[in-house]
Amino acid sequence: MHVPGPLSSRWTAYLGLLSAFSAAFAPAVAVKEHDFKKCHQSGFCKRNREFADHALATSSWASPYNVAPDSGSFKDGQYQAVILKTTNSGETVWLPITVSFLESGTARVTVDEEKRQKGEIELRHGSKARKERYNEAEKWAIVGGMTLDKEAKVDYEDKTQITVKYGPTSKFEATIKFSPFSIDFKRDGISHVKLNDQGLLNIEHWRPKVDKPEPEKKDGDSTEENKAEEAKEEPKGEDESTWWEETFGGNTDTKPRGPESVGLDISFVGYEHVYGIPSHASSLSLKQTRGGEGNYQEPYRMYNADVFEYILDSPMTLYGSIPFMQAHRKDSSVGVFWLNAAETWVDITKAKDSKNPLSLGGKARTNTHTHWFSESGLLDVFVFLGPTPKDLTARYGELTGTTAMPQEFALGYHQCRWNYVSDEDVRDVDRKMDKFKMPYDVIWLDIEYTDEKKYFTWDKHSFTDPIGMGKQLDSHGRKLVTIIDPHIKNTDNYPVVAELKSKELGVKNKDGNLFEGWCWPGSSHWIDAFSPAAREWWSSLFKYDKFKGTMENTWIWNDMNEPSVFNGPETTMPKDNLHDGNWEHRDVHNLNGLTFHNATYHALLTRKPGELRRPFVLTRSFFAGSQRVGAMWTGDNQAAWDHLKASIPMVLSQGISGFPFSGADVGGFFGNPEKELLTRWYQAGAFYPFFRGHAHIDARRREPYLAGEPYTTIIAAALRLRYSLLPSWYTAFRHAHLDGTPIIKPMFYTHPSEEAGLAIEDQFFVGNTGLLAKPVTEKEKTTVDVWIPDGEVYYDYFTYQVIPTVKGKTVTLDAPMEKIPLLMRGGHVFARRDVPRRSSALMRWDDYTLVVTVPRENKVAEGDLYVDDGDSFEYQNGQYIHRRFVYDGAAKSLSSVDAEGRDAASIREGAWMKQMRSVGVGKIVVVGAPASWAGKKSVKVESEGKVWEARMEFTPAGQGRAAFAVIKKVGVRIGADWKVEF
Ligand SMILES: *[C@@H]1O[C@H](CO)[C@@H](O)[C@H](O)[C@H]1NC(C)=O
């Protein structure tokens, strides 16, 4: 066995690159692709692909999985049976299956394996591994939506199949065929999702290891006799070489449980587009993965990893994974959630339907076939039948939770770099941002603030007065974020590591001893956040009197939580490491980032007794459910135009996959952006839900005020645009929090009927504001083509020009350097705060501006505004304002009512709500105001039993600009009901 030395090739390569960067930064140093597995280097990936190749090439192929006769029963919304697999050697494998029909209309199919449920496997030195399939992914990922549909009914049943009707108004049905096993999910009588339709179901069953004499083999190449030998085993030609041990990059994975992958084909019938399964630096509409022009050769991979300098347009894995996929065609969306935390790959192919060319109005429809396989665990898949994209994100949100309601500051601008070198450096940046009138909310400290990478300590020479620094930030309502990673330095005189060791709270190696590996501090141990005791201990470390130098405005950044292990296989932990409950790391790998992120979130809830404030924790690694505890960013990108461009589909993909609080490092992490790129990146970043500038330690300083004119002014304008729209961003977060709606929305999401928009990935709407943004992502580009999804009127955000649009066509907009292409769709009302200030906290008591964009034919425009104290959990006790605004062109009025129909008198106002009584609507701007308003000088305002007049200024249309009206000093409270009559 190869024992990795303390300095692996990965680590030395890293050091080498660091110095290469310092000498002269070479842009586009590609990721060490060979540091990460290709499918053929991952035993189970190779086996499942070979299984698929064999099945698809065999015309008589029949899946060897059959539901045992008379094993099935249906009760209380659940169908249970046993699937039998007959192996080539004649053995019968028992696979209990449960199909659960949930009240929400979601169906869940779970397949376990009977024989291995009990028992343990003896490992070396008396330690043990569990033998059963990992069945706790649900425990971490799922938080609701699991009530069974008691109304689900068997609609038809005979010896060969059973059909269950379920879901709202019973319009969904599932037909389970017994021989071979398959499930066909229908909506309104039409097939949408089929499981095992291609017969690729493959559950590698438990088998004891038989020690046979090792045949001569080199690198997985089998001899002829060996091949003949293997052919006798099932399935045909199976490559056993990686069943019991697998080596990659000098690391050997001992596999005490042998082969145990689960694989299944999922067909989306009549669907041409599939989206989701982030994070990949790939297109929004996912590509085919089995070769051919413009397609990938490799499946999309989900195995959370610290991918150094990732490449673009690739299905390679990145830092986090959400195995949730949605399929979309004109007017219909369906999806699946593959609940498995082990290494997972997904192949995607599309094929014209040859069987039924006359369906769908004579057009041969396209089916998308997906093939999923995971290294271990249960086969567990949720099926969503839509029919809208919003239904999918809502149903998925019920299961895995929605975005935590963030602190309001978290939506402001974050200034980060590796590293601000001292507290004086931080104070200086803070002062300069003010000097250049650049609003920001948070400054960040990367790893160098610590005493030799010992988290929970400060470098005593450079950070002499962290509290003084924190207080200066606080004087303008600003915050500090410090990094805390899961690797704990293995050194003497460090109480944190001493406790981790003595209390046995770390991840263990395969021998049951504390795992040791290399990361930033050198030799390190890793907290096992799967362990309740470890999480409790973690909480204790963040108390203000324990993590000295932190205060109420200190928040946390969790990096490297894939986990990144410099000398580990694929820069992460060995798969045979052991976690709480003796589960192998293999089983829980993709959950690791979530459990650590969650442990930090919970730690921040208990820093001080009685302090109940919403934690802010940024994570790099994530899984389904991470949205409940914080924000993510897309990791270590590069200062290059193509990385700016790629960030938009990546962030959109996060949004539709339930984790919308996301952004990319503005400016690009590695390298030095030219000023034009930096400026365009700020203009784009102002539309990321999470907006942070960040830079590598060897990158030149690039705080936005350093850019010089005209860039500094242009960047300041982008920052201020973000700040003025914070009320609308916050409202969008409220919707994400309530029902999983994305914060920025791609065209297929907002306009699911427009086929031409389904693959568009470079423009998006912001919340419900009707703001349509298309950031410039190309060098020296001074125009953009915006695709117009509907027949509404569109206005330029800044000039109120009426854009000459045609539904379904693109329109070219001028986009010189100082301009962000941003349109306002007619028919919306959104809120802003127009007084520029240094931070979001300082805007808290400012009046609002409401912008009404009058739709075609002066019909109805609508919008809403959600406000709370932006900090505590009091919103859960009704301490919030949520207004709905309706402009009615025919009735000539604009009104504000409680968006949830609450009775104001029923809300007992706490301190924040009382203070909000002084906050009003300062200004109303009606863009596209009817010409008939010309000559009007005032409007009638009615609120809280009083009626008065407010002044209106009307500007007639001219030179392509829409007419607009401005009402100043409206005089109404933001929290009150009111009505303006024009
Ligand atoms: C998050 O932490 C809490 C408190 O320790 C725990 O109850 C919960 O199971 C954890 N969830 C995840 C996803 O780690």
Side-chain angles (χ1 to χ4, degrees):
M1 198 191 82
H2 171 87
V3 181
L7 282 178
S8 75
S9 58
R10 170 65 175 71
W11 174 240
T12 43
Y14 195 80
L15 290 178
L17 273 164
L18 281 185
S19 49
F21 282 135
S22 329
F25 177 73
V29 179
V31 63
K32 297 277 174 301
E33 263 194 282
H34 57 260
D35 281 351
F36 296 92
K37 286 183 184 176
K38 291 266 173 58
C39 182
H40 73 275
Q41 293 162 315
S42 168
F44 79 96
C45 188
K46 185 169 177 231
R47 293 195 299 274
N48 276 280
R49 263 196 163 185
E50 281 172 356
F51 186 92
D53 286 340
H54 174 71
L56 296 172
T58 310
S59 55
S60 59
W61 175 257
S63 169
Y65 293 81
N66 301 292
V67 173
D70 304 323
S71 71
S73 65
F74 182 85
K75 195 173 163 244
D76 294 340
Q78 242 174 8
Y79 172 78
Q80 288 183 308
V82 174
I83 296 177
L84 301 179
K85 159 168 106 161
T86 309
T87 69
N88 284 5
S89 50
E91 196 191 337
T92 300
V93 179
W94 286 54
L95 305 164
I97 176 172
T98 305
V99 184
S100 308
F101 299 96
L102 308 178
E103 226 170 52
S104 59
T106 302
R108 178 190 193 182
V109 179
T110 312
V111 182
D112 199 347
E113 184 181 346
E114 186 141 303
K115 270 204 185 159
R116 61 155 91 211
Q117 283 177 6
K118 302 257 151 42
E120 284 169 324
I121 304 159
E122 294 282 337
L123 301 174
R124 265 152 282 230
H125 311 298
S127 73
K128 294 183 167 85
R130 292 223 195 176
K131 181 176 157 192
E132 78 230 64
R133 288 185 171 273
Y134 182 64
N135 54 15
E136 294 187 355
E138 167 177 4
K139 169 174 155 188
W140 308 104
I142 304 287
V143 291
M146 294 296 288
T147 316
L148 289 169
D149 180 3
K150 299 278 163 51
E151 308 286 296
K153 277 189 194 63
V154 175
D155 187 53
Y156 176 82
E157 189 174 13
D158 66 20
K159 290 262 171 257
T160 65
Q161 62 185 317
I162 177 170
T163 295
V164 175
K165 290 215 162 172
Y166 69 103
T169 67
S170 297
K171 61 179 183 180
F172 299 162
E173 64 185 81
T175 298
I176 304 166
K177 291 243 168 73
F178 299 156
S179 194
F181 162 76
S182 71
I183 310 187
D184 182 357
F185 289 94
K186 296 181 180 171
R187 190 181 73 223
D188 298 324
I190 297 169
S191 293
H192 288 268
V193 181
K194 289 184 175 183
L195 309 187
N196 205 30
D197 191 45
Q198 297 190 302
L200 308 187
L201 175 61
N202 181 31
I203 298 187
E204 294 183 322
H205 58 279
W206 165 256
R207 57 207 107 191
K209 184 174 182 184
V210 183
D211 280 321
K212 34 184 180 188
E214 278 285 298
E216 279 281 318
K217 62 169 188 224
K218 37 177 188 177
D219 271 47
D221 254 10
S222 9
T223 62
E224 282 312 306
E225 297 135 87
N226 211 10
K227 274 190 184 144
E229 177 76 21
E230 280 164 6
K232 283 188 228 135
E233 289 286 326
E234 58 74 49
K236 229 181 157 152
E238 171 139 313
D239 172 12
E240 290 180 32
S241 63
T242 54
W243 273 11
W244 299 99
E245 195 173 274
E246 212 168 320
T247 299
F248 180 76
N251 288 283
T252 298
D253 174 16
T254 65
K255 300 169 66 178
R257 294 182 305 205
E260 53 173 338
S261 76
V262 292
L264 177 69
D265 61 275
I266 302 175
S267 295
F268 297 103
V269 185
Y271 289 85
E272 196 161 348
H273 292 278
V274 285
Y275 308 88
I277 57 169
S279 179
H280 297 97
S282 181
S283 47
L284 178 66
S285 173
L286 302 171
K287 295 190 176 180
Q288 298 188 59
T289 61
R290 289 230 126 190
E293 177 137 18
N295 300 335
Y296 298 141
Q297 305 288 333
E298 292 286 310
Y300 282 91
R301 187 180 190 212
M302 287 179 273
Y303 187 61
N304 298 350
D306 180 359
V307 182
F308 180 66
E309 301 227 313
Y310 57 79
I311 48 171
L312 301 178
D313 193 12
S314 165
M316 262 184 85
T317 194
L318 288 177
Y319 312 87
S321 1
I322 304 177
F324 172 38
M325 177 185 272
Q326 34 200 295
H328 189 75
R329 67 168 180 238
K330 183 174 161 30
D331 296 325
S332 181
S333 293
V334 295
V336 294
F337 170 42
W338 177 268
L339 179 52
N340 189 302
E343 177 182 348
T344 297
W345 303 74
V346 186
D347 263 321
I348 299 172
T349 54
K350 301 179 185 184
K352 286 261 189 273
D353 192 345
S354 51
K355 286 183 211 152
N356 197 1
L358 292 180
S359 59
L360 285 185
K363 268 199 283 176
R365 61 184 182 177
T366 298
N367 298 324
T368 297
H369 300 289
T370 62
H371 181 204
W372 301 64
F373 33 96
S374 296
E375 188 177 15
S376 67
L378 301 179
L379 190 156
D380 201 358
V381 54
F382 292 78
V383 178
F384 309 93
L385 292 179
T388 68
K390 196 166 165 65
D391 290 323
L392 295 189
T393 45
R395 295 294 86 76
Y396 173 78
E398 279 167 21
L399 294 173
T400 65
T402 57
T403 299
M405 197 59 218
Q407 289 234 3
E408 191 175 22
F409 79 77
L411 311 192
Y413 172 63
H414 300 254
Q415 180 62 44
C416 187
R417 84 168 267 118
W418 176 23
N419 216 89
Y420 289 116
V421 298
S422 64
D423 44 15
E424 190 38 50
D425 192 7
V426 170
R427 286 167 180 265
D428 183 56
V429 172
D430 183 59
R431 284 189 291 262
K432 296 242 172 67
M433 291 296 282
D434 285 347
K435 184 171 165 212
F436 287 88
K437 300 196 163 48
M438 291 179 159
Y440 89 100
D441 268 71
V442 193
I443 189 160
W444 291 53
L445 293 177
D446 209 321
I447 50 179
E448 312 298 333
Y449 79 92
T450 56
D451 176 19
E452 299 181 323
K453 318 288 187 299
K454 289 180 285 201
Y455 301 114
F456 308 99
T457 70
W458 296 83
D459 182 318
K460 288 197 181 54
H461 306 291
S462 44
F463 288 87
T464 51
D465 181 17
I467 292 289
M469 169 179 73
K471 284 185 174 158
Q472 177 180 322
L473 297 173
D474 189 49
S475 67
H476 295 132
R478 292 185 179 134
K479 325 288 168 189
L480 180 75
V481 168
T482 64
I483 200 166
I484 298 278
D485 288 349
H487 48 260
I488 303 298
K489 184 169 179 155
N490 176 22
T491 185
D492 294 337
N493 299 321
Y494 180 31
V496 177
V497 81
E499 282 180 36
L500 177 122
K501 283 183 185 169
S502 68
K503 297 181 177 169
E504 300 194 33
L505 304 173
V507 181
K508 299 192 170 82
N509 64 20
K510 64 181 189 308
D511 300 327
N513 301 319
L514 186 60
F515 169 71
E516 186 258 358
W518 280 69
C519 204
W520 297 125
S523 173
S524 304
H525 301 299
W526 275 258
I527 175 191
D528 182 12
F530 290 87
S531 143
R535 292 197 301 273
E536 209 180 309
W537 167 72
W538 194 245
S539 282
S540 74
L541 301 175
F542 288 84
K543 308 262 188 246
Y544 294 124
D545 56 358
K546 204 73 181 288
F547 187 4
K548 293 215 170 73
T550 62
M551 47 188 274
E552 284 78 356
N553 66 343
T554 314
W555 301 101
I556 300 296
W557 170 17
N558 285 159
D559 195 6
M560 313 296 275
N561 51 338
E562 294 76 20
S564 176
V565 180
F566 293 156
N567 61 338
E570 301 194 85
T571 330
T572 189
M573 255 180 201
K575 284 176 170 170
D576 46 13
N577 269 7
L578 294 169
H579 289 266
D580 188 54
N582 278 341
W583 293 114
E584 276 194 291
H585 185 71
R586 174 186 337 278
D587 297 320
V588 301
H589 175 83
N590 284 345
L591 279 165
N592 192 82
L594 164 60
T595 54
F596 177 65
H597 184 203
N598 172 73
T600 306
Y601 174 92
H602 282 273
L604 294 182
L605 280 177
T606 57
R607 283 196 285 191
K608 189 171 121 192
E611 185 190 67
L612 269 179
R613 301 167 61 215
R614 296 173 230 167
F616 173 78
V617 189
L618 180 77
T619 185
R620 189 169 71 182
S621 189
F622 54 88
F623 189 67
S626 293
Q627 68 273 14
R628 304 190 299 261
V629 288
M632 63 73 71
W633 92 108
T634 61
D636 299 346
N637 61 357
Q638 292 179 43
W641 286 95
D642 52 358
H643 273 262
L644 165 58
K645 187 172 188 172
S647 71
I648 294 172
M650 288 177 83
V651 172
L652 287 173
S653 183
Q654 286 291 133
I656 58 157
S657 306
F659 197 176
F661 196 1
S662 61
D665 279 343
V666 170
F669 178 64
F670 292 111
N672 295 305
E674 55 196 281
K675 289 178 179 180
E676 181 191 350
L677 172 59
L678 183 67
T679 306
R680 288 302 199 187
W681 215 319
Y682 272 98
Q683 292 178 333
F687 290 91
Y688 296 152
F690 174 62
F691 182 21
R692 183 183 76 155
H694 187 33
H696 186 274
I697 194 164
D698 292 316
R700 284 193 288 275
R701 291 293 286 243
R702 59 162 99 121
E703 287 65 46
Y705 48 79
L706 293 175
E709 292 304 340
Y711 308 100
T712 301
T713 300
I714 298 172
I715 295 172
L719 293 169
R720 291 209 206 125
L721 175 65
R722 170 66 170 219
Y723 273 77
S724 70
L725 287 169
L726 281 179
S728 287
W729 283 99
Y730 199 64
T731 303
F733 270 82
R734 174 65 175 180
H735 289 293
H737 174 66
L738 288 179
D739 65 7
T741 308
I743 289 160
I744 60 173
K745 301 169 178 170
M747 298 300 107
F748 91 81
Y749 193 92
T750 55
H751 291 77
S753 304
E754 300 308 315
E755 259 179 304
L758 301 188
I760 291 179
E761 58 176 23
D762 56 2
Q763 62 180 61
F764 49 84
F765 283 98
V766 178
N768 293 331
T769 57
L771 291 175
L772 174 59
K774 167 126 188 188
V776 178
T777 58
E778 281 170 59
K779 189 177 162 68
E780 287 167 13
K781 190 101 195 218
T782 54
T783 61
V784 292
D785 294 333
V786 181
W787 181 78
I788 300 297
D790 53 32
E792 236 336 317
V793 58
Y794 283 81
Y795 308 98
D796 183 281
Y797 179 84
F798 303 97
T799 64
Y800 307 163
Q801 294 283 313
V802 178
I803 307 298
T805 58
V806 179
K807 176 182 169 177
K809 296 262 179 328
T810 58
V811 58
T812 303
L813 302 180
D814 272 344
M817 184 67 131
E818 65 279 8
K819 177 122 190 180
I820 304 176
L822 181 61
L823 301 183
M824 299 188 282
R825 180 179 183 273
H828 299 266
V829 183
F830 62 89
R832 287 196 314 225
R833 273 174 161 155
D834 286 346
V835 181
R837 296 194 194 272
R838 297 172 214 227
S839 71
S840 66
L842 298 181
M843 299 169 84
R844 182 166 281 183
W845 313 115
D846 285 352
D847 284 348
Y848 291 91
T849 295
L850 297 182
V851 181
V852 179
T853 58
V854 175
R856 284 221 188 285
E857 297 167 30
N858 192 23
K859 286 187 172 155
V860 174
E862 286 179 79
D864 67 338
L865 169 70
Y866 173 83
V867 202
D868 61 25
D869 68 14
D871 176 66
S872 77
F873 289 94
E874 279 298 296
Y875 69 91
Q876 293 173 347
N877 305 322
Q879 297 296 302
Y880 62 83
I881 292 168
H882 192 185
R883 308 305 302 177
R884 189 170 113 90
F885 309 113
V886 180
Y887 166 87
D888 186 333
K892 298 187 183 168
S893 66
L894 172 67
S895 61
S896 170
V897 294
D898 190 282
E900 295 161 26
R902 298 178 305 168
D903 173 14
S906 71
I907 305 162
R908 262 195 58 196
E909 293 189 344
W912 174 81
M913 286 200 71
K914 285 199 178 117
Q915 190 148 0
M916 279 305 284
R917 288 186 153 267
S918 66
V919 176
V921 176
K923 189 159 98 179
I924 296 170
V925 183
V926 183
V927 180
S932 60
W933 291 9
K936 258 190 208 201
K937 293 267 186 291
S938 67
V939 292
K940 189 174 116 186
V941 184
E942 207 182 319
S943 183
E944 302 185 89
K946 294 196 193 106
V947 181
W948 63 92
E949 301 264 307
R951 253 187 54 209
M952 179 170 93
E953 275 170 32
F954 178 84
T955 307
Q959 295 180 325
R961 186 190 22 75
F964 64 97
V966 179
I967 301 150
K968 285 189 181 149
K969 304 211 172 106
V970 187
V972 293
R973 291 198 298 117
I974 192 65
D977 286 356
W978 51 261
K979 189 171 181 182
V980 171
E981 280 174 32
F982 299 103

